[in-house]
Structure formats: structure tokens, C-alpha cells
Amino acid sequence: MERKTFDETMADQLNAIFAATKEITFSKNTASIIVGGRRRLEKLVGERKIRATKQDERQIGKWLCNASDVLRNAVNPMYKKTRK
């Protein structure tokens, strides 16, 4: 039996995380923190990179963002730009 490399093992773990979270949703606030901001989240939803639905069709309805999509587009907080 062949031994997997570190990269293959990490890729398998990431795929397992994405598969486990495909039925879970995040709120708009939580998703925006993970992807790096509200504007970026809205841009990703507009580009259909993140699936999002509203509970109600009202203007102020709660957003439900697919957790797997959000995690795929997550930003590393260490590289986040700070405003001056």
C-alpha cells in the first residue's frame, strides 16, 4: 500500500470538511467575517461563488449562506489589510 504525501493528506482532509459542511448554513454576519467583509461576501454571492438564500422574501430577510462555499472562499486573517 502506497503512503500518501502530506499534500494529499491535507487535500483529503479539506475535501472531508467541505463534504461535511455542504448541508450547513452560516448567517450573513458569520459568513462575512470568514470571507473578509460584507462587500466581499456580497460580491461572491453575486458571482455565484457562494450559494445564499433568504428565509423570507422581505427586504430585511435573514441570509443563509452555504457553509462549504463560504469556507472555500475564506481569507487568512493574518493577511487581511488594515485601514489607516
mmCIF file of all heavy atoms in Angstrom, residues 7 20-22 25 39-41 43 46-47 49 55 63 65-66 71-72 75-76 81-82:
data_model
loop_
_atom_site.group_PDB
_atom_site.id
_atom_site.type_symbol
_atom_site.label_atom_id
_atom_site.label_comp_id
_atom_site.label_asym_id
_atom_site.label_seq_id
_atom_site.Cartn_x
_atom_site.Cartn_y
_atom_site.Cartn_z
ATOM 1 N N ASP A 7 0.673 16.703 1.254
ATOM 2 C CA ASP A 7 -0.282 17.491 0.471
ATOM 3 C C ASP A 7 -1.541 16.691 0.146
ATOM 4 O O ASP A 7 -2.646 17.223 0.192
ATOM 5 C CB ASP A 7 0.358 17.985 -0.826
ATOM 6 C CG ASP A 7 1.404 19.058 -0.579
ATOM 7 O OD1 ASP A 7 1.347 19.702 0.488
ATOM 8 O OD2 ASP A 7 2.276 19.238 -1.445
ATOM 9 N N ALA A 20 -18.646 17.601 4.641
ATOM 10 C CA ALA A 20 -19.399 17.604 5.892
ATOM 11 C C ALA A 20 -20.213 18.878 6.079
ATOM 12 O O ALA A 20 -21.246 18.879 6.750
ATOM 13 C CB ALA A 20 -18.449 17.424 7.070
ATOM 14 N N THR A 21 -19.777 19.984 5.472
ATOM 15 C CA THR A 21 -20.458 21.264 5.677
ATOM 16 C C THR A 21 -21.380 21.665 4.530
ATOM 17 O O THR A 21 -21.910 22.769 4.544
ATOM 18 C CB THR A 21 -19.429 22.393 5.893
ATOM 19 O OG1 THR A 21 -18.557 22.453 4.771
ATOM 20 C CG2 THR A 21 -18.634 22.169 7.166
ATOM 21 N N LYS A 22 -21.593 20.784 3.567
ATOM 22 C CA LYS A 22 -22.419 21.182 2.417
ATOM 23 C C LYS A 22 -23.892 21.386 2.778
ATOM 24 O O LYS A 22 -24.594 22.094 2.072
ATOM 25 C CB LYS A 22 -22.274 20.189 1.264
ATOM 26 C CG LYS A 22 -22.873 18.842 1.500
ATOM 27 C CD LYS A 22 -22.672 17.962 0.296
ATOM 28 C CE LYS A 22 -23.263 16.588 0.555
ATOM 29 N NZ LYS A 22 -22.994 15.688 -0.558
ATOM 30 N N THR A 25 -25.523 25.928 7.072
ATOM 31 C CA THR A 25 -25.562 27.313 6.616
ATOM 32 C C THR A 25 -25.008 28.226 7.697
ATOM 33 O O THR A 25 -25.068 27.922 8.894
ATOM 34 C CB THR A 25 -26.995 27.755 6.269
ATOM 35 O OG1 THR A 25 -27.829 27.586 7.406
ATOM 36 C CG2 THR A 25 -27.542 26.980 5.094
ATOM 37 N N ARG A 39 -18.812 43.433 1.912
ATOM 38 C CA ARG A 39 -18.763 43.716 0.474
ATOM 39 C C ARG A 39 -18.229 42.528 -0.311
ATOM 40 O O ARG A 39 -18.720 42.212 -1.387
ATOM 41 C CB ARG A 39 -17.897 44.943 0.205
ATOM 42 C CG ARG A 39 -18.596 46.215 0.549
ATOM 43 C CD ARG A 39 -17.782 47.389 0.092
ATOM 44 N NE ARG A 39 -18.484 48.614 0.400
ATOM 45 C CZ ARG A 39 -17.923 49.802 0.406
ATOM 46 N NH1 ARG A 39 -16.645 49.920 0.115
ATOM 47 N NH2 ARG A 39 -18.616 50.865 0.688
ATOM 48 N N ARG A 40 -17.193 41.889 0.210
ATOM 49 C CA ARG A 40 -16.627 40.725 -0.486
ATOM 50 C C ARG A 40 -17.645 39.596 -0.528
ATOM 51 O O ARG A 40 -17.793 38.911 -1.542
ATOM 52 C CB ARG A 40 -15.341 40.257 0.186
ATOM 53 C CG ARG A 40 -14.693 39.115 -0.557
ATOM 54 C CD ARG A 40 -13.224 38.956 -0.185
ATOM 55 N NE ARG A 40 -12.586 38.031 -1.100
ATOM 56 C CZ ARG A 40 -12.460 36.734 -0.864
ATOM 57 N NH1 ARG A 40 -12.893 36.205 0.262
ATOM 58 N NH2 ARG A 40 -11.874 35.948 -1.756
ATOM 59 N N LEU A 41 -18.378 39.388 0.579
ATOM 60 C CA LEU A 41 -19.416 38.356 0.605
ATOM 61 C C LEU A 41 -20.479 38.646 -0.445
ATOM 62 O O LEU A 41 -20.860 37.750 -1.204
ATOM 63 C CB LEU A 41 -20.059 38.276 1.992
ATOM 64 C CG LEU A 41 -21.249 37.331 2.119
ATOM 65 C CD1 LEU A 41 -20.824 35.887 1.877
ATOM 66 C CD2 LEU A 41 -21.920 37.479 3.462
ATOM 67 N N LYS A 43 -20.174 40.380 -3.139
ATOM 68 C CA LYS A 43 -19.577 40.201 -4.462
ATOM 69 C C LYS A 43 -19.529 38.714 -4.824
ATOM 70 O O LYS A 43 -19.879 38.316 -5.936
ATOM 71 C CB LYS A 43 -18.164 40.784 -4.471
ATOM 72 C CG LYS A 43 -17.440 40.638 -5.779
ATOM 73 C CD LYS A 43 -16.023 41.213 -5.669
ATOM 74 C CE LYS A 43 -15.167 40.548 -6.711
ATOM 75 N NZ LYS A 43 -13.844 40.260 -6.264
ATOM 76 N N GLY A 46 -22.947 37.497 -5.647
ATOM 77 C CA GLY A 46 -23.313 37.990 -6.973
ATOM 78 C C GLY A 46 -22.638 37.212 -8.095
ATOM 79 O O GLY A 46 -23.208 37.013 -9.168
ATOM 80 N N GLU A 47 -21.401 36.764 -7.854
ATOM 81 C CA GLU A 47 -20.667 35.962 -8.835
ATOM 82 C C GLU A 47 -21.046 34.483 -8.767
ATOM 83 O O GLU A 47 -20.485 33.665 -9.481
ATOM 84 C CB GLU A 47 -19.162 36.101 -8.600
ATOM 85 C CG GLU A 47 -18.623 37.475 -8.856
ATOM 86 C CD GLU A 47 -17.167 37.626 -8.442
ATOM 87 O OE1 GLU A 47 -16.609 36.693 -7.811
ATOM 88 O OE2 GLU A 47 -16.584 38.675 -8.747
ATOM 89 N N LYS A 49 -20.385 32.364 -6.472
ATOM 90 C CA LYS A 49 -19.355 31.521 -5.877
ATOM 91 C C LYS A 49 -19.799 31.030 -4.506
ATOM 92 O O LYS A 49 -19.266 30.054 -3.995
ATOM 93 C CB LYS A 49 -18.034 32.285 -5.769
ATOM 94 C CG LYS A 49 -17.403 32.561 -7.123
ATOM 95 C CD LYS A 49 -16.070 33.227 -6.988
ATOM 96 C CE LYS A 49 -15.449 33.454 -8.352
ATOM 97 N NZ LYS A 49 -14.154 34.130 -8.247
ATOM 98 N N GLN A 55 -34.472 33.550 4.137
ATOM 99 C CA GLN A 55 -35.575 32.835 4.768
ATOM 100 C C GLN A 55 -36.906 33.409 4.309
ATOM 101 O O GLN A 55 -37.824 32.678 3.986
ATOM 102 C CB GLN A 55 -35.477 32.942 6.287
ATOM 103 C CG GLN A 55 -34.618 31.885 6.904
ATOM 104 C CD GLN A 55 -34.662 31.955 8.416
ATOM 105 O OE1 GLN A 55 -34.819 33.024 8.994
ATOM 106 N NE2 GLN A 55 -34.521 30.820 9.052
ATOM 107 N N TRP A 63 -30.258 36.125 5.712
ATOM 108 C CA TRP A 63 -29.490 35.378 4.711
ATOM 109 C C TRP A 63 -29.030 34.061 5.300
ATOM 110 O O TRP A 63 -28.617 33.987 6.453
ATOM 111 C CB TRP A 63 -28.240 36.152 4.329
ATOM 112 C CG TRP A 63 -28.405 37.270 3.385
ATOM 113 C CD1 TRP A 63 -29.454 38.130 3.298
ATOM 114 C CD2 TRP A 63 -27.458 37.689 2.405
ATOM 115 N NE1 TRP A 63 -29.223 39.045 2.323
ATOM 116 C CE2 TRP A 63 -28.000 38.808 1.760
ATOM 117 C CE3 TRP A 63 -26.211 37.232 2.017
ATOM 118 C CZ2 TRP A 63 -27.333 39.468 0.748
ATOM 119 C CZ3 TRP A 63 -25.549 37.895 1.014
ATOM 120 C CH2 TRP A 63 -26.112 38.995 0.384
ATOM 121 N N CYS A 65 -26.157 31.384 4.136
ATOM 122 C CA CYS A 65 -25.062 31.139 3.196
ATOM 123 C C CYS A 65 -24.539 29.723 3.377
ATOM 124 O O CYS A 65 -24.314 29.279 4.510
ATOM 125 C CB CYS A 65 -23.926 32.128 3.426
ATOM 126 S SG CYS A 65 -24.420 33.843 3.284
ATOM 127 N N ASN A 66 -24.328 29.015 2.280
ATOM 128 C CA ASN A 66 -23.829 27.652 2.315
ATOM 129 C C ASN A 66 -22.435 27.626 2.944
ATOM 130 O O ASN A 66 -21.517 28.308 2.475
ATOM 131 C CB ASN A 66 -23.791 27.080 0.901
ATOM 132 C CG ASN A 66 -23.365 25.640 0.881
ATOM 133 O OD1 ASN A 66 -22.187 25.355 0.957
ATOM 134 N ND2 ASN A 66 -24.333 24.747 0.792
ATOM 135 N N LEU A 71 -16.446 28.498 3.298
ATOM 136 C CA LEU A 71 -15.117 28.020 3.701
ATOM 137 C C LEU A 71 -14.162 27.931 2.515
ATOM 138 O O LEU A 71 -12.964 28.159 2.663
ATOM 139 C CB LEU A 71 -15.233 26.667 4.405
ATOM 140 C CG LEU A 71 -15.963 26.703 5.748
ATOM 141 C CD1 LEU A 71 -16.127 25.290 6.299
ATOM 142 C CD2 LEU A 71 -15.248 27.594 6.741
ATOM 143 N N ARG A 72 -14.683 27.633 1.335
ATOM 144 C CA ARG A 72 -13.827 27.600 0.134
ATOM 145 C C ARG A 72 -13.278 28.983 -0.195
ATOM 146 O O ARG A 72 -12.205 29.105 -0.781
ATOM 147 C CB ARG A 72 -14.618 27.094 -1.075
ATOM 148 C CG ARG A 72 -14.883 25.631 -1.083
ATOM 149 C CD ARG A 72 -15.681 25.234 -2.318
ATOM 150 N NE ARG A 72 -16.357 23.981 -2.126
ATOM 151 C CZ ARG A 72 -15.802 22.789 -2.317
ATOM 152 N NH1 ARG A 72 -14.569 22.721 -2.721
ATOM 153 N NH2 ARG A 72 -16.487 21.689 -2.105
ATOM 154 N N VAL A 75 -10.690 33.802 3.937
ATOM 155 C CA VAL A 75 -9.455 34.578 3.857
ATOM 156 C C VAL A 75 -8.649 34.324 5.123
ATOM 157 O O VAL A 75 -9.203 34.186 6.204
ATOM 158 C CB VAL A 75 -9.746 36.090 3.808
ATOM 159 C CG1 VAL A 75 -8.653 36.833 3.099
ATOM 160 C CG2 VAL A 75 -11.069 36.415 3.235
ATOM 161 N N ASN A 76 -7.339 34.286 4.955
ATOM 162 C CA ASN A 76 -6.459 34.149 6.108
ATOM 163 C C ASN A 76 -6.411 35.496 6.821
ATOM 164 O O ASN A 76 -5.970 36.478 6.246
ATOM 165 C CB ASN A 76 -5.059 33.728 5.653
ATOM 166 C CG ASN A 76 -4.146 33.414 6.807
ATOM 167 O OD1 ASN A 76 -4.387 33.822 7.930
ATOM 168 N ND2 ASN A 76 -3.097 32.683 6.517
ATOM 169 N N LYS A 81 -5.768 43.246 5.126
ATOM 170 C CA LYS A 81 -5.267 44.615 5.103
ATOM 171 C C LYS A 81 -5.948 45.422 6.198
ATOM 172 O O LYS A 81 -7.125 45.246 6.466
ATOM 173 C CB LYS A 81 -5.539 45.276 3.755
ATOM 174 C CG LYS A 81 -4.789 44.638 2.609
ATOM 175 C CD LYS A 81 -5.130 45.349 1.342
ATOM 176 C CE LYS A 81 -4.430 44.685 0.161
ATOM 177 N NZ LYS A 81 -4.805 45.302 -1.112
ATOM 178 N N THR A 82 -5.198 46.309 6.799
ATOM 179 C CA THR A 82 -5.776 47.191 7.804
ATOM 180 C C THR A 82 -5.870 48.587 7.224
ATOM 181 O O THR A 82 -4.999 49.033 6.488
ATOM 182 C CB THR A 82 -4.921 47.227 9.083
ATOM 183 O OG1 THR A 82 -3.602 47.620 8.744
ATOM 184 C CG2 THR A 82 -4.891 45.871 9.753
#
